[in-house]
Amino acid sequence: LKSIKDITIITSSVTVFDILNRTPGITLISTGGAVRYSSQMFVGPTAESMLKELRADKLFLMPGGITLDFGLSHQTISEVTMKQAMITSAREVVVLADHTCFGAEAGIQIAPLSVVQRLITDDALPPSLRLELSKAGIQVVLA
């Protein structure tokens, strides 16, 4: 992202903010909120409220688990509510997940798979699962 000019990035990640801060050509917006130490993510009502006023072209989302039935899931409620707010603010949802996320349910549903337009994953994802995701209208990209 550092090489792209004239781009606006909205982030709830302290790490992403630190990496991109002071990069020429990038307008960087932080959601603010309380910092969750273990994930270095801004969470809470302040951060969620900020997202209600913004619209993003693309959301890059990392869930804790993905199944065909339960959809996208995560283990921490404060991060789930942030991820849900991000989905609502985004025009396109791109999920970033390696093959180990599939078949796992992390306890709290973020959203059904129907919100996802694109999945970027590794080539260890079984072809049968790639086919099922494609049938569900999700573009699968192997990286």
Side-chain angles (χ1 to χ4, degrees):
L1 292 175
K2 282 186 164 190
S3 64
I4 301 172
K5 301 301 178 206
D6 299 321
I7 185 173
T8 299
I9 297 173
I10 305 164
T11 186
S12 63
S13 167
V14 175
T15 305
V16 170
F17 187 88
D18 287 344
I19 290 169
L20 297 176
N21 191 22
R22 298 185 182 166
T23 302
I26 292 179
T27 300
L28 188 57
I29 300 172
S30 169
T31 61
V35 175
R36 188 161 186 276
Y37 176 77
S38 62
S39 63
Q40 289 295 288
M41 184 174 172
F42 291 110
V43 296
T46 303
E48 292 170 30
S49 178
M50 173 74 162
L51 288 168
K52 289 178 184 173
E53 299 177 18
L54 300 172
R55 174 68 71 206
D57 289 328
K58 292 184 192 320
L59 165 64
F60 294 94
L61 183 72
M62 294 174 49
I66 304 171
T67 63
L68 295 174
D69 295 331
F70 196 56
L72 309 175
S73 59
H74 200 72
Q75 62 276 5
T76 309
I77 190 68
S78 60
E79 291 184 31
V80 167
T81 57
M82 275 299 295
K83 291 173 188 291
Q84 290 169 335
M86 290 178 197
I87 288 169
T88 301
S89 295
R91 289 184 178 94
E92 178 183 0
V93 176
V94 180
V95 170
L96 307 172
D98 69 17
H99 71 282
T100 62
C101 289
F102 290 87
E105 290 181 359
I108 306 166
Q109 185 186 55
I110 299 168
L113 280 179
S114 60
V115 304
V116 179
Q117 286 81 35
R118 188 176 307 157
L119 164 71
I120 300 175
T121 189
D122 60 3
D123 62 1
L125 187 66
S128 60
L129 192 46
R130 290 184 221 165
L131 180 61
E132 287 297 319
L133 293 165
S134 293
K135 285 181 182 177
I138 299 169
Q139 178 190 10
V140 179
V141 178
L142 302 179

